[in-house]
């Protein structure tokens, strides 16, 4: 059995300015700002929440079903996934839009200016979960994507009887109180980071305890502090982070955590082991630049898990 990943595909264009933004921005002239930054270093990475989760599940030996939209410039991404053996059969190409893209420029002080173009994400609702009914799906995740698509896929999963994880991520602010409560009502699990947890509580009007009581598990990732899993019975499980050789780039760490968690849930692991596998995957990812450049084998993942936690997860 496999997992259905409903979420974005995007290109991340990362640029570096050797100077400081503050040298070019005059605080008293912000009403008529007009600046240009030299970026001698630039690289393009494969990203997007859905793409990143599917990538990490493949590293774990799974065959994820990714349901996403890509634009007229999507051929390199499709070729990338095909080369890795990741199915693209449920990735819809939107010929009149570009693939979602994030443009990020950093200066020497690690300040960052970002722009995001949603592009083909805005048509994610054209994909329907019923299109994947021939797949042997045990679990789904509804992760950041176009607003209409996220709503549609949550409703579709509920209609198809597929338990799903609600992962609002960066899309959290798109939804009204009523929409957030509907997601929580339909979902089997909810996952957010610690900041998003506070925003979700504020915008939904539900406390952490109230959300946890309505789902089978409410998972909050805590960065270098690991994660906490609140179960419906009131139990809270603390998941530690793992030691890393060097924290190079946090981009995509949360998605790697989600992949480890999903692998555990679809293979019948207990919550502690599933959470620890998520923590391990996040730790492996942070040691590499970019969201899809780490390439440990399943055997290497198993060995590192045993070293970190003292037992094997398989």
């Amino acid at each position: 059995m496999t997992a259905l990943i409903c979420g974005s595909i995007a290109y991340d264009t990362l640029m570096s300015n050797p100077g400081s933004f503050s040298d070019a921005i005059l605080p008293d002239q912000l009403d008529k700002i007009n600046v240009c930054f030299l970026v001698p270093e630039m690289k393009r990475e494969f990203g997007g929440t859905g793409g990143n989760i599917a990538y990490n599940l493949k590293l774990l030996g799974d065959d994820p079903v990714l349901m996403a939209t890509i634009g007229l410039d999507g051929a390199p991404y499709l070729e990338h996934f095909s080369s890795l053996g990741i199915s693209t059969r449920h990735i819809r190409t939107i010929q009149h839009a570009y693939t979602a893209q994030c443009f990020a420029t950093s200066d020497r002080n690690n300040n960052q200016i970002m722009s995001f173009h949603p592009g083909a994400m805005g048509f994610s609702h054209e994909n329907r979960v019923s299109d994947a009914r021939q797949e042997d799906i045990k679990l789904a995740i509804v992760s950041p994507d176009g607003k209409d698509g996220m709503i549609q896929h949550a409703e579709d999963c509920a209609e198809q009887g597929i338990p799903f994880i609600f992962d609002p991520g960066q899309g959290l602010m798109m939804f009204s109180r009523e929409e957030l409560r509907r997601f929580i009502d339909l979902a089997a699990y909810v996952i957010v980071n610690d900041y998003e947890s506070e925003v979700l509580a504020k915008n939904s009007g539900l406390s952490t305890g109230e959300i946890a009581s309505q789902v089978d598990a409410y998972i909050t990732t805590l960065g270098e502090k690991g994660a906490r899993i609140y179960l419906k019975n009131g139990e809270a499980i603390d998941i530690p982070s793992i030691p890393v050789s060097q924290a190079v780039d946090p981009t995509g760490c949360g998605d790697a955590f989600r992949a480890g968690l999903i692998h555990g849930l679809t293979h019948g692991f207990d919550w502690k082991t599933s959470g620890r596998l998520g923590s391990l995957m996040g730790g492996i990812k942070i040691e590499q630049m970019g969201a899809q450049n780490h390439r440990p084998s399943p055997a290497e993942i198993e060995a590192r898990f045993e070293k970190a936690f003292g037992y094997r997860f398989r």
Side-chain angles (χ1 to χ4, degrees):
M1 301 187 79
T2 189
L4 174 67
I5 314 302
C6 300
S8 64
I9 282 178
Y11 290 119
D12 297 332
T13 300
L14 309 176
M15 296 164 282
S16 297
N17 176 282
S20 173
F21 293 149
S22 60
D23 294 338
I25 298 175
L26 302 176
D28 60 342
Q29 300 291 317
L30 294 180
D31 59 326
K32 51 184 177 182
I33 189 169
N34 187 354
V35 297
C36 177
F37 299 106
L38 178 68
V39 287
E41 294 183 17
M42 185 183 81
K43 57 184 174 179
R44 197 185 202 197
E45 300 282 0
F46 297 108
T49 302
N52 294 342
I53 294 173
Y55 176 86
N56 283 278
L57 280 169
K58 190 65 178 182
L59 292 178
L60 284 160
D62 289 349
D63 186 20
V65 177
L66 175 59
M67 182 166 283
T69 47
I70 204 164
L72 55 88
D73 56 343
Y77 210 127
L78 296 177
E79 292 169 3
H80 166 61
F81 265 14
S82 294
S83 71
L84 297 172
I86 299 174
S87 171
T88 60
R89 58 187 176 272
H90 294 293
I91 299 177
R92 181 186 296 269
T93 299
I94 308 298
Q95 292 290 356
H96 54 84
Y98 288 102
T99 302
Q101 301 191 43
C102 177
F103 302 89
T105 302
S106 301
D107 70 3
R108 67 185 180 204
N109 301 315
N110 291 321
N111 296 311
Q112 195 170 65
I113 295 175
M114 301 182 69
S115 299
F116 184 76
H117 172 66
M121 272 177 51
F123 301 90
S124 59
H125 59 280
E126 295 186 10
N127 284 326
R128 301 297 298 265
V129 171
S130 58
D131 296 339
R133 57 182 172 271
Q134 75 275 18
E135 311 285 356
D136 192 10
I137 297 169
K138 183 175 183 179
L139 175 70
I141 182 168
V142 176
S143 58
D145 211 342
K147 178 180 179 180
D148 292 341
M150 292 181 71
I151 292 172
Q152 182 68 63
H153 297 151
E155 296 286 349
D156 284 353
C157 284
E159 182 179 323
Q160 296 287 321
I162 300 171
F164 72 91
I165 302 168
F166 174 47
D167 172 24
Q170 308 97 315
L172 183 55
M173 297 301 294
M174 295 190 297
F175 302 108
S176 67
R177 172 171 295 199
E178 292 71 26
E179 289 166 338
L180 289 172
R181 289 189 173 209
R182 178 63 174 167
F183 276 119
I184 294 167
D185 182 55
L186 295 176
Y189 317 103
V190 174
I191 184 167
V192 289
N193 64 30
D194 49 352
Y195 175 77
E196 293 161 356
S197 179
E198 294 183 19
V199 176
L200 179 59
K202 177 182 177 182
N203 290 6
S204 69
L206 300 171
S207 68
T208 295
E210 289 172 326
I211 296 172
S213 70
Q214 294 184 42
V215 294
D216 292 335
Y218 180 41
I219 305 101
T220 304
T221 59
L222 306 170
E224 69 278 4
K225 296 180 181 179
R228 175 167 287 183
I229 301 174
Y230 300 90
L231 301 182
K232 196 169 192 175
N233 62 9
E235 181 183 359
I237 302 172
D238 286 321
I239 304 296
S241 60
I242 67 160
V244 298
S245 58
Q246 185 178 7
V248 175
D249 176 23
T251 305
C253 285
D255 301 330
F257 180 99
R258 284 151 177 75
L261 188 80
I262 291 168
H263 180 87
L265 292 175
T266 55
H267 287 76
F269 300 168
D270 60 34
W271 278 108
K272 182 176 290 186
T273 299
S274 298
R276 288 177 171 181
L277 184 57
S279 181
L280 175 72
M281 294 303 293
I284 290 172
K285 198 259 82 95
I286 204 171
E287 295 174 339
Q288 298 291 328
M289 182 65 69
Q292 297 183 26
N293 293 323
H294 53 297
R295 298 203 175 185
S297 68
E300 289 170 336
I301 294 171
E302 292 176 26
R304 189 156 175 183
F305 184 96
E306 184 176 22
K307 181 178 179 180
F309 301 113
Y311 65 99
R312 300 185 70 85
F313 64 83
R314 295 191 206 276

